[in-house]
Amino acid sequence: MATEHLSPLDLAFWRIESAAHPMHLGALAVFEAAPAQQDAPGAGPGPGAGPEPAVRAAALLAARCATVPGLRRRIHDVLLPIGAAAWSSDADFDAARHVFLVRTPDPRAAAGPLMARPLDRGRPPWEAHVLAGPDPGSFAVLFKFHHALADGLGALALAALLFDEGEGVRGPARPVPEPRPAAGSALRSLPGMLAARVQDVGQALEIGASVARAGLPLGVPAALTAAPARTGTRAVAGLALDLDDVNRIRKVAGGTVNDVLIALVAGALRRWLLGRGDPEPEGPGPRALIPVSRRRPGGAAKYGNRLSGYLLRLPLAEPDPLLRLDRVRLGMDRNKEAGPARGAGAVALLADHVHPLGHRLGGPLVAQAARMLFDILVTSVPLPGFTFSLGGSRVREVYPLAPLARGHSLAVAVSTYKGTVHYGLVADAAAVPDLAALAEALRAELDELVREVS
């Protein structure tokens, strides 16, 4: 069987990880048990009694994860190419090492310390924590997937196979090896190969020039930076907003739903900073990295990452909420006109131009340079329209959670599920001790925009 090496971008995510800056993404799914299940929380002798929903969910996840090939694979170093890594099946795979039942008085609060804990790099890089709270009728599940295993869409495809709605759904396809070229074909294709190489070099140079033009951090509040000595702890917060309100704003003010969601982040950051007593924001504002999927619509799902991105200045200095939205819309329009393959946000594509040894030796340096490339991550993860469930318990809320780069204090992820917008906030707990206040600032910003367009 041919060795399946990690792609350059997947390898980059694997190499830049450190104990204080784990490179896994996650999702916190909040479940609500069916009424019939809430009447039988224990394993009593009465008819219909059985395990409580959280216990049943943990058992189902442990059984189903063994049927998903992508969840049985681990990453290991290889001799050649030097510095590379590859996937292999874990011969000692045991679901008990990946699926955990955690009893906690506050499932949401428990997600922060769990997100701070790195995955075991000697095992398949994922975990599922079933968080059972004091209410036996509801629970939460925190999924953690290393970024080398999947991007947001890939992680969603893997997780969906574990839900009731995912049964029988075809999983992500393994990459198909490229056919071996016929004798002499390499010589005939040499001009095309050289042209493609020249084009790749030109793209890399253009991305580098765009990064330089994007400038150094200017107008970045101190609250959005984390000193290295203060890293290693995580806080998590979630907020659910009505998608109808977002659409009402979009229809009146223009732009896309994503424009409104990004503008809400900008306005919430401004409110939060002023509420803390920080100085009035000045300058062009922090640079938000907006990941863009490079997966083809309708194409076969694959493991790993297919990402580029846009870079957008968040106009925190603008006090008018509608003008903030307009500036976000114009900035995103300019990004879309330029495309996701050549701007300053396309730094992920530079990984393709680095030798595996460069990733191995330069990973720590790249991690430290993240602060120079962008100031905050704002990512969107689309969810399917149907309702997820697990063992009869329905998913009520889904909060996506993004990794936190070195030197950053905040990462924002957003998804829509069943007519509701879910913001997932991950922060350096020492740098942002008041993360709940930022979540409430998001709600206040939405309310103000609704009033402005009403």
Side-chain angles (χ1 to χ4, degrees):
M1 181 179 296
T3 301
E4 184 183 340
H5 293 95
L6 271 68
S7 73
L9 183 53
D10 298 343
L11 184 62
F13 283 130
W14 186 247
R15 295 301 189 199
I16 66 176
E17 181 175 61
S18 67
H21 298 91
M23 286 304 299
H24 53 254
L25 45 88
L28 182 65
V30 180
F31 288 78
E32 184 178 60
Q37 296 175 344
Q38 296 178 8
D39 296 335
E52 62 180 287
V55 174
R56 182 166 45 252
L60 281 172
L61 287 174
R64 292 177 180 177
C65 70
T67 67
V68 182
L71 298 181
R72 301 176 64 97
R73 306 194 309 168
R74 57 180 291 270
I75 297 173
H76 67 278
D77 291 338
V78 296
L79 293 176
L80 295 174
I82 298 175
W87 292 101
S88 64
S89 179
D90 184 4
D92 299 321
F93 178 80
D94 183 356
R97 298 175 178 174
H98 298 268
V99 180
F100 308 94
L101 178 62
V102 181
R103 298 194 179 276
T104 171
D106 188 346
R108 298 194 190 210
L114 290 173
M115 282 297 289
R117 190 175 73 188
L119 295 166
D120 188 333
R121 291 171 68 89
R123 298 172 180 164
W126 68 275
E127 290 177 352
H129 298 264
V130 181
L131 309 175
D135 178 9
S138 61
F139 61 95
V141 177
L142 174 66
F143 292 99
K144 293 168 55 178
F145 297 94
H146 199 285
H147 221 322
L149 175 63
D151 53 24
L153 290 177
L156 172 64
L158 287 170
L161 296 177
L162 306 177
F163 291 111
D164 296 337
E165 296 286 356
E167 291 182 340
V169 177
R170 189 173 182 179
R174 293 181 63 87
V176 178
E178 294 293 333
R180 297 179 64 87
S185 61
L187 183 60
R188 291 193 298 271
S189 62
L190 185 58
M193 293 170 58
L194 291 175
R197 183 61 178 167
V198 170
Q199 185 177 13
D200 288 346
V201 172
Q203 181 191 41
L205 292 174
E206 188 167 348
I207 293 174
S210 297
V211 171
R213 289 195 298 270
L216 296 175
L218 297 172
V220 181
L224 292 184
T225 63
R230 298 164 64 190
T231 57
T233 59
R234 294 291 180 269
V236 169
L239 180 71
L241 301 175
D242 194 334
L243 181 58
D244 287 342
D245 287 338
V246 174
N247 277 318
R248 186 177 302 115
I249 296 167
R250 176 190 61 81
K251 290 177 182 178
V252 175
T256 67
V257 166
N258 201 43
D259 293 340
V260 177
L261 297 179
I262 296 171
L264 288 176
V265 173
L269 287 173
R270 176 183 170 84
R271 287 174 177 273
W272 173 63
L273 292 168
L274 294 178
R276 289 162 53 111
D278 288 8
E280 181 87 13
E282 297 179 348
R287 300 159 301 169
L289 179 62
I290 317 289
V292 177
S293 175
R294 296 169 59 218
R295 297 179 185 272
R296 294 181 179 179
K302 292 184 178 181
Y303 301 123
N305 291 266
R306 296 285 296 167
L307 290 173
S308 183
Y310 296 137
L311 202 66
L312 176 73
R313 290 278 185 178
L314 298 180
L316 270 57
E318 174 53 62
D320 185 290
L322 287 178
L323 288 179
R324 275 198 303 272
L325 173 55
D326 191 55
R327 291 189 181 182
V328 167
R329 179 180 60 80
L330 291 175
M332 288 300 291
D333 285 347
R334 286 193 294 268
N335 277 325
K336 293 170 187 175
E337 289 174 3
R342 297 186 180 277
V347 289
L349 301 184
L350 294 179
D352 293 337
H353 304 280
V354 179
H355 188 275
L357 183 60
H359 285 296
R360 185 166 190 170
L361 298 179
L365 296 176
V366 173
Q368 294 179 30
R371 179 70 185 82
M372 300 299 296
L373 299 174
F374 65 99
D375 306 303
I376 183 174
L377 178 71
V378 182
T379 183
S380 177
V381 182
L383 296 178
F386 54 74
T387 301
F388 288 113
S389 64
L390 183 63
S393 297
R394 295 181 296 272
V395 175
R396 187 176 71 243
E397 305 163 26
V398 183
Y399 298 98
L401 304 171
L404 198 58
R406 180 181 176 88
H408 294 179
S409 67
L410 178 67
V412 180
V414 59
S415 65
T416 57
Y417 176 71
K418 306 301 291 182
T420 303
V421 175
H422 294 96
Y423 279 96
L425 310 177
V426 177
D428 182 297
V432 185
D434 55 344
L435 187 60
L438 177 57
E440 287 307 311
L442 274 165
R443 187 182 303 278
E445 182 67 13
L446 176 69
D447 291 343
E448 181 170 354
L449 273 170
V450 169
R451 288 193 297 270
E452 290 286 338
V453 299
S454 298

